[in-house]
Amino acid sequence: MSLRSDFTAFLNGNGELFSFSLRFFRHGLNPPFEFAEFIKQCYVIGYKSLPLIGLTAFIMGIVLTMQLRPSMADYGVESQLPAIVAIAVVREVGPVITALIFAGKIGSSIGAELGSMKVTEQIDAMEVSGTNPFKYLVVTRVLACTLMLPVLVMLGDAISLYGAYLGVNIHTNTSFNLFWTQVFDNLVFGDVLPAFIKSFFFGFAVGIIGCYKGYNSSRGTEGVGLSANSAVVVSSVMIFIIDLLAVQVTNIFDY
Amino acid sequence: MTSDKQVLNSSLDKVMLINNLCKSFGDRHILINFNLELIRGESVVVLGKSGSGKSVLIKCVIGLLRPDKGSIKIFGKNIPDLNHDELDQVRAKIGFLFQSNALYDSMTVRENLEFPLRRHWIEVSQEEVDKMVEDALEDVGLRHTIDMMPVELSGGMRKRVALARTLILKPEIILYDEPTTGLDTITSKEIIELMIEIQEKYNTSSLIISHDMNCVRMASDRVVMLMDGRCYANDTYENLIKSEDPKIKMFFE
Ligand SMILES: Nc1ncnc2c1ncn2[C@@H]1O[C@H](COP(=O)(O)OP(=O)(O)OP(=O)(O)O)[C@@H](O)[C@H]1O
Ligand SMILES: [Mg+2]
């Protein structure tokens, strides 16, 4: 009984999220555009999360290399370490870890920001001031997330590989040039492009879910905390779902 | 004060006319055939207990909520019938002071005040904007807070800044949603005095929602009591305090 009502609530939630996304496309494609706010959000969303993403990517690069080394050495292919790490980082670890950190930092802050704007009537105030709050707040943030995350993923990948270079050099002495030659010799377009494309979807998911949760925040300060929290949880799960779908689609093209 | 004003306005220049307004959420009927009129220069207080639908009423008036039935005529235009652009034009002439102030947290006081100006009047020069922002802050006595953030202000100051923001477009009607809740007696008296001052200076009409007796006594020309979704009484403060009706007496004790 309760399982059934939970399930209907889940489906209803998805339906609302879907119509919220449709509304994004309807409002987003119609002028006037809130260009100044969009640029500001790109700065806030992209630039401000760079240090955190850079740090985690760097550590990930080192750790991944150190974890892979023993097995690689057992098979006698230790020299292939840069290549295998590069493929792991570019195809999977980079985009997913970056997106998860992004969801934690940006998804929650969008959820909390819009949530508190909702409960303190700031969204209503915008509306009576001749502004379409959906365009001003939601469209700009979702677009900024969608465009900034791929950029962050690429920067994160690069920083990860620097970390990997450090990781390789803990045991053996590999020159900087040799490391990067090995990386680029083994990376093909088919590794880079799907990862790049899926990070747009990750960014969109984080943006739209954060905005949806904030925009539909229930009254009171509790509601704000709850929307921030569920923005992170739902968008993290969504990242994995998109990842799963992406790998299926990529495989169709590979074979 | 009341009688002179009403004689003056014998032409009955009604800026707002609400007729048979109904609004419900699900099967909860909040407003049932509610009627109200507001004459130019007049200040009407809507009195009602918490949860009686006062905020719902005022949000219907500004077009934030859509009524189920009934008409809300402002300057002769029926709000529920207007399209988006027409609604914006009417809204530019109405000031709305929100219950929670609704100052934009991420903007300074100056940017908060500039926001409605920039949005409603696209073609104004920066000098004019600066001048209007400073004048509006001057009106509420907070010129020095211009570069502060809303979080740095006290509750009373925030209310004043919010009031300055509603004033900046020189509205003809101001809607106040509980302007004195959450403030101490002295501060709320200051706010009420400020409201009266503004009313006289700009000859605005005010619709004030309140359950603060000081506010009713000082600021009202007429009191409308909202009870169970209907207009229960409509009279001056002086007449209402003399009333023997227990439901009315409840408020004035
Ligand atoms: N968007 C909404 N959805 C559903 N119910 C609502 C909504 N807005 C208000 N209500 C309900 O309508 C009723 C009246 O609310 P309203 O905010 O108008 O009360 P109020 O008279 O302003 O009270 P207060 O003095 O506490 O501000 C409340 O019971 C509230 O739960
Ligand atoms: Mg209220």
Side-chain angles (χ1 to χ4, degrees):
Chain A
M1 192 61 202
S2 125
L3 186 70
R4 186 170 159 182
S5 63
D6 280 356
F7 189 65
T8 5
F10 171 75
L11 289 184
N12 278 338
N14 279 343
E16 276 169 34
L17 180 58
F18 184 70
S19 64
F20 192 79
S21 314
L22 287 184
R23 209 170 142 198
F24 164 80
F25 289 108
R26 195 148 38 80
H27 284 267
L29 299 176
N30 284 332
F33 304 108
E34 301 285 356
F35 203 68
E37 178 68 12
F38 168 68
I39 298 293
K40 186 179 153 205
Q41 288 307 322
C42 283
Y43 172 76
V44 171
I45 289 170
Y47 184 71
K48 291 277 174 77
S49 47
L50 188 55
L52 185 66
I53 282 170
L55 178 69
T56 47
F58 187 69
I59 294 173
M60 212 55 226
I62 300 177
V63 172
L64 200 62
T65 319
M66 291 175 70
Q67 297 274 33
L68 281 170
R69 178 199 299 283
S71 323
M72 301 281 289
D74 281 352
Y75 290 104
V77 285
E78 205 181 343
S79 61
Q80 292 298 308
L81 199 50
I84 201 79
V85 169
I87 289 172
V89 164
V90 169
R91 292 194 90 146
E92 180 64 18
V93 179
V96 171
I97 296 283
T98 308
L100 288 176
I101 301 280
F102 190 77
K105 183 168 166 64
I106 301 300
S108 66
S109 84
I110 290 179
E113 187 190 12
L114 294 201
S116 71
M117 291 189 79
K118 167 86 178 184
V119 301
T120 60
E121 301 175 302
Q122 292 174 51
I123 293 184
D124 286 343
M126 280 194 171
E127 180 147 9
V128 301
S129 299
T131 300
N132 178 342
F134 196 91
K135 266 192 175 159
Y136 189 84
L137 298 170
V138 176
V139 173
T140 52
R141 280 166 178 73
V142 175
L143 271 183
C145 283
T146 313
L147 296 181
M148 287 299 110
L149 186 57
V151 177
L152 287 169
V153 166
M154 286 202 291
L155 290 171
D157 285 356
I159 295 169
S160 256
L161 292 177
Y162 275 101
Y165 170 67
L166 204 72
V168 168
N169 271 291
I170 290 173
H171 278 269
T172 50
N173 216 345
T174 308
S175 82
F176 194 68
N177 276 341
L178 180 62
F179 176 82
W180 286 106
T181 314
Q182 278 193 316
V183 165
F184 284 115
D185 277 355
N186 289 284
L187 275 182
V188 292
F189 199 55
D191 296 324
V192 180
L193 189 68
F196 185 61
I197 292 172
K198 77 181 173 188
S199 41
F200 281 96
F201 287 91
F202 291 164
F204 179 78
V206 171
I208 200 91
I209 290 168
C211 287
Y212 169 75
K213 291 292 177 186
Y215 216 74
N216 292 302
S217 197
S218 50
R219 293 163 157 259
T221 35
E222 259 166 280
V224 178
L226 215 60
S227 11
N229 179 277
S230 61
V232 178
V233 175
V234 176
S235 52
S236 303
V237 174
M238 191 57 94
I239 286 167
F240 285 106
I241 294 174
I242 294 172
D243 201 34
L244 183 64
L245 292 177
V247 77
Q248 307 297 337
V249 175
T250 320
N251 281 352
I252 296 173
F253 288 105
D254 268 2
Y255 301 110
Chain B
M1 173 164 117
T2 318
S3 53
D4 316 349
K5 240 180 202 165
Q6 266 164 8
V7 171
L8 243 154
N9 285 307
S10 55
S11 59
L12 285 188
D13 186 4
K14 286 178 195 158
V15 286
M16 188 193 300
L17 187 63
I18 299 178
N19 242 325
N20 290 327
L21 186 66
C22 297
K23 176 75 193 171
S24 42
F25 293 107
D27 51 6
R28 290 182 50 217
H29 302 287
I30 309 291
L31 296 173
I32 308 156
N33 290 330
F34 184 82
N35 298 306
L36 185 141
E37 58 182 58
L38 183 67
I39 295 162
R40 190 176 295 280
E42 189 188 30
S43 138
V44 170
V45 173
V46 177
L47 198 60
K49 58 175 203 270
S50 187
S52 57
K54 303 181 299 305
S55 297
V56 170
L57 167 69
I58 210 169
K59 283 187 177 163
C60 286
V61 169
I62 196 83
L64 283 171
L65 286 174
R66 208 184 156 72
D68 302 332
K69 221 174 89 209
S71 66
I72 303 165
K73 293 224 167 76
I74 297 183
F75 311 121
K77 295 197 180 89
N78 189 20
I79 296 294
D81 291 343
L82 299 183
N83 69 28
H84 208 274
D85 292 337
E86 291 167 329
L87 191 57
D88 272 348
Q89 281 169 13
V90 176
R91 279 172 174 169
K93 292 190 233 164
I94 306 176
F96 192 136
L97 186 68
F98 284 88
Q99 190 165 352
S100 54
N101 299 330
L103 293 177
Y104 307 123
D105 294 325
S106 57
M107 303 182 196
T108 63
V109 168
R110 181 198 295 275
E111 288 162 343
N112 261 286
L113 266 66
E114 277 180 5
F115 194 87
L117 262 183
R118 290 245 172 260
R119 294 281 155 174
H120 276 304
W121 299 350
I122 312 298
E123 317 86 16
V124 272
S125 69
Q126 186 59 45
E127 293 88 66
E128 282 174 277
V129 170
D130 286 345
K131 173 99 175 60
M132 292 174 88
V133 168
E134 281 164 19
D135 285 350
L137 281 175
E138 196 75 60
D139 278 340
V140 298
L142 283 180
R143 179 82 185 271
H144 60 283
T145 63
I146 192 158
D147 289 315
M148 288 188 177
M149 297 301 283
V151 285
E152 299 171 79
L153 305 174
S154 71
M157 286 158 97
R158 251 179 263 172
K159 190 60 87 181
R160 282 161 183 265
V161 171
L163 189 51
R165 191 177 66 184
T166 41
L167 283 181
I168 198 151
L169 290 171
K170 303 274 182 311
E172 293 175 39
I173 301 176
I174 304 184
L175 311 172
Y176 296 93
D177 194 354
E178 305 201 10
T180 57
T181 3
L183 301 176
D184 60 82
T185 337
I186 300 169
T187 317
S188 52
K189 276 210 176 114
E190 285 170 5
I191 297 285
I192 298 163
E193 275 158 14
L194 194 59
M195 285 160 57
I196 298 171
E197 226 172 83
I198 285 161
Q199 164 109 16
E200 281 164 4
K201 187 167 171 190
Y202 298 108
N203 190 32
T204 51
S205 326
S206 320
L207 185 65
I208 305 165
I209 284 183
S210 188
H211 40 221
D212 175 357
M213 274 311 131
N214 279 325
C215 182
V216 180
R217 184 166 46 79
M218 291 163 69
S220 71
D221 294 328
R222 195 152 55 82
V223 182
V224 169
M225 293 185 78
L226 173 61
M227 215 176 276
D228 304 321
R230 290 191 173 83
C231 172
Y232 187 77
N234 178 359
D235 212 331
T236 59
Y237 173 75
E238 288 76 15
N239 289 339
L240 283 176
I241 44 172
K242 286 185 231 131
S243 165
E244 291 299 318
D245 187 329
K247 279 190 175 166
I248 297 178
K249 275 181 102 164
M250 216 164 58
F251 277 94
F252 294 90
E253 266 155 12

